[in-house]
Amino acid sequence: EKAAAYFRSAIAKDPDFAPAHAGLALTYGPRFIYSDIGPGPGNAEMKAAALEALQLDPQLGEAHAALASALENEWDWEGAEREYRSALEIDPNAAVGHMWYGAYLHALGRFAESLAQRRRAFELHPLDLSANRGVARDLDANGQDEAALAQWNRTLELDPSHLRSQLPFALFLLEHGRADLGRKQ
């Protein structure tokens, strides 16, 4: 919410500053995940901000990634993939583009491709909890149980009290019959 307020303030000061519109659009992704905003109006606002950014600067990779996410939320799979690819073609070092594209690929059951995208995000930002969780989930989806366990442990080392990491790790342990590893001694 704080980031969205800052981006809105920047837009009020300079409505033609495309990166502020793209930044505002990107704030919607985490806010959807954490249920801070409803998907209907929130997605419309995300899409509008991304489109405004792209109208001002068609070469903003972050704006393409945000538009891709909005299209994904509308079940426009082809449009979303096109925009994710555009985002990464423009900015191949955009961790958010790789993370969100990886989540999209995971949702479609394209786990090997998803793992490649999320590994790239992890390489770019190895301390990001989302990148760590994404790699762990995709290692698991690709049948690499021991590597997934190691990645989950690494993720929890970064922030042991992070609930968004604890819960999926606990589910991983239960699904693999290793609940004993989750008990504190």
Side-chain angles (χ1 to χ4, degrees):
E1 288 299 320
K2 195 178 264 191
Y6 285 133
F7 286 122
R8 285 189 184 99
S9 175
I11 292 166
K13 291 176 183 174
D14 184 357
D16 295 330
F17 187 53
H21 291 279
L24 177 61
L26 289 175
T27 67
Y28 286 92
R31 292 162 58 210
F32 287 149
I33 291 169
Y34 294 113
S35 300
D36 293 337
I37 56 174
N43 197 63
E45 291 175 30
M46 177 185 206
K47 187 175 183 180
L51 288 171
E52 181 65 24
L54 289 170
Q55 183 176 353
L56 294 167
D57 183 353
Q59 293 302 306
L60 273 178
E62 291 179 335
H64 283 281
L67 178 57
S69 182
L71 293 172
E72 184 180 348
N73 292 334
E74 295 173 351
W75 306 100
D76 180 355
W77 303 112
E78 290 176 16
E81 180 134 15
R82 181 183 60 251
E83 292 299 324
Y84 281 126
R85 288 178 184 252
S86 293
L88 294 173
E89 183 178 305
I90 291 166
D91 187 358
N93 292 321
V96 71
H98 289 286
M99 273 304 301
W100 289 11
Y101 188 33
Y104 162 86
L105 293 167
H106 189 99
L108 295 180
R110 293 162 56 187
F111 302 127
E113 293 173 83
S114 178
L115 178 57
Q117 291 299 322
R118 294 200 206 194
R119 276 190 167 146
R120 181 64 182 134
F122 173 76
E123 290 169 4
L124 293 165
H125 290 287
L127 300 179
D128 182 271
L129 288 172
S130 295
N132 277 270
R133 277 194 315 271
V135 170
R137 286 181 169 151
D138 282 332
L139 286 167
D140 181 31
N142 281 284
Q144 298 177 38
D145 300 352
E146 290 304 313
L149 177 60
Q151 186 65 40
W152 277 119
N153 284 325
R154 183 185 191 292
T155 303
L156 287 169
E157 284 175 9
L158 292 172
D159 187 352
S161 63
H162 192 256
L163 184 61
R164 302 279 305 168
S165 299
Q166 290 175 341
L167 182 59
F169 178 56
L171 292 172
F172 169 82
L173 293 174
L174 287 171
E175 289 169 359
H176 293 279
R178 301 185 71 178
D180 59 306
L181 295 178
R183 291 191 184 102
K184 290 190 176 193
Q185 301 299 328

